[in-house]
Amino acid sequence: MNTEKISCTDEEIAYVKNLSLSQLASSLGYTVVKTGAYYHLKEMDSLVIYNDRTWNRWSSKGNNRLVATCKF
């Protein structure tokens, strides 16, 4: 197991906190689709982006349960 710590500057942390998740996904080659108040990816519709700062990934197994959440 790698236990190496990664240090980030305050500027790097501020940059990441201000990232637009929909723009990031688009720059990575995904097709971002806005549906109502949220975004999803055409290639991966189980990933939902809320308010451009929070994402959830849903699983089709187990009654569509929430698998992961990340908030910037």
Side-chain angles (χ1 to χ4, degrees):
M1 182 165 86
N2 186 357
T3 59
E4 180 182 343
K5 291 185 179 182
I6 299 173
S7 297
C8 299
T9 66
D10 291 341
E11 292 82 15
E12 291 169 327
I13 292 170
Y15 176 78
V16 169
K17 286 184 176 182
N18 288 310
L19 277 177
S20 161
L21 293 178
S22 60
Q23 288 178 349
L24 176 62
S26 181
S27 73
L28 292 172
Y30 292 99
T31 306
V32 179
V33 179
K34 184 168 173 80
T35 306
Y38 63 90
Y39 303 89
H40 70 272
L41 307 180
K42 181 178 178 183
E43 300 81 4
M44 188 184 339
D45 64 355
S46 63
L47 184 91
V48 179
I49 300 171
Y50 300 93
N51 68 29
D52 222 15
R53 297 282 186 264
T54 304
W55 63 265
N56 290 329
R57 182 180 171 282
W58 299 90
S59 170
S60 61
K61 297 178 182 177
N63 297 325
N64 202 27
R65 67 177 178 210
L66 181 63
V67 175
T69 300
C70 182
K71 182 174 184 175
F72 286 95

